[in-house]
Amino acid sequence: MSLTPRRQAIVPIAAFTATGDLPQLRQALTGGLDAGLTISEIKEILVQLYAYAGFPRSLNALGTFMAVLQQRQADGIDDPPGAEPSPLPAGSSSELGAEHQTRLTGTPVTGALFDFAPAIDEFLKAHLFGDIFGRDNLDWPSREIATVAALASLDGVESQLQSHLGIARNTGLTETDLRDLVATLQDRVGRAAADRANETLEKVLI
């Protein structure tokens, strides 16, 4: 495997958060802590995924994580808290987000959809790519592993999955890393998610 155990552990956490499978998520969260992910990193993954799977899934996942931590504390396990995010730079979140989005995609993002609904363009730039991707307690490759794993676990979002596989490569993840992500989906999540990710990855690698 090219992906480290810590990054492999992100895959089932994100996938089961997206699908709302809380028993499986509980096991994945325990596995993530055992693999060395900090409490802060896992919280950040679960918070970020509201942008892709919705607040209900994110809130349920955070509640499950709280229960896991309470049980581990009762069992005498002391998990590392990890670093809190640094304050965001002063200025416009929209401007910061536009800068981040351009770096991640490799080009300024425009299109008919954003002309049709400029509010979604503003929310993507200001909140997702500005406020969330501006938080430095989780690196960008790890954020994209989480996003790809979540989208691969959902039906009907192949277009967004393809975009984020491209973004993942722009964060420095290699073809081998992404094939390892697919293998991790196969091993720890299920065939449907792995097949979806693999078919979409082949289009990105053309």
Side-chain angles (χ1 to χ4, degrees):
M1 279 282 184
S2 173
L3 289 181
T4 65
R6 294 174 75 257
R7 285 185 168 171
Q8 290 174 39
I10 292 171
V11 173
I13 290 173
F16 294 128
T17 294
T19 59
D21 189 334
L22 300 184
Q24 292 274 38
L25 175 60
R26 188 181 183 96
Q27 294 182 29
L29 292 166
T30 298
L33 291 166
D34 290 342
L37 289 171
T38 67
I39 294 172
S40 175
E41 288 170 329
I42 293 178
K43 284 196 296 185
E44 193 67 20
I45 292 164
L46 304 182
V47 168
Q48 176 185 309
L49 288 180
Y50 96 80
Y52 302 99
F55 272 117
R57 299 292 199 209
S58 179
L59 292 168
N60 287 347
L62 286 164
T64 300
F65 190 36
M66 287 176 62
V68 166
L69 291 174
Q70 289 166 357
Q71 183 61 59
R72 286 170 71 90
Q73 289 170 358
D75 292 341
I77 301 172
D78 187 19
D79 294 302
E84 291 301 312
S86 305
L88 291 173
S92 166
S93 292
S94 182
E95 290 176 3
L96 178 65
E99 176 188 335
H100 288 170
Q101 187 184 49
T102 299
R103 286 170 56 192
L104 286 161
T105 60
T107 185
V109 176
T110 60
L113 178 66
F114 300 125
D115 294 335
F116 175 69
I120 200 69
D121 185 39
E122 172 64 18
F123 294 157
L124 282 168
K125 286 183 170 66
H127 188 48
L128 177 57
F129 290 107
D131 293 336
I132 295 179
F133 272 75
R135 291 163 61 88
D136 60 3
N137 57 330
L138 189 68
D139 61 44
W140 283 2
S142 296
R143 289 186 183 279
E144 283 305 311
I145 289 169
T147 302
V148 167
L151 294 175
S153 302
L154 300 173
D155 287 321
V157 293
E158 285 79 5
S159 175
Q160 289 83 2
L161 175 59
Q162 184 169 341
S163 294
H164 277 280
L165 282 165
I167 290 173
R169 297 187 77 191
N170 290 339
T171 68
L173 293 170
T174 65
E175 177 180 341
T176 301
D177 292 331
L178 295 175
R179 292 199 183 280
D180 285 352
L181 194 164
V182 173
T184 305
L185 283 168
Q186 177 72 50
D187 291 343
R188 303 190 191 183
V189 178
R191 181 174 178 178
D195 286 350
R196 193 176 294 116
N198 189 56
E199 290 170 8
T200 308
L201 178 59
E202 292 303 326
K203 297 176 184 177
V204 172
L205 296 175
I206 293 174

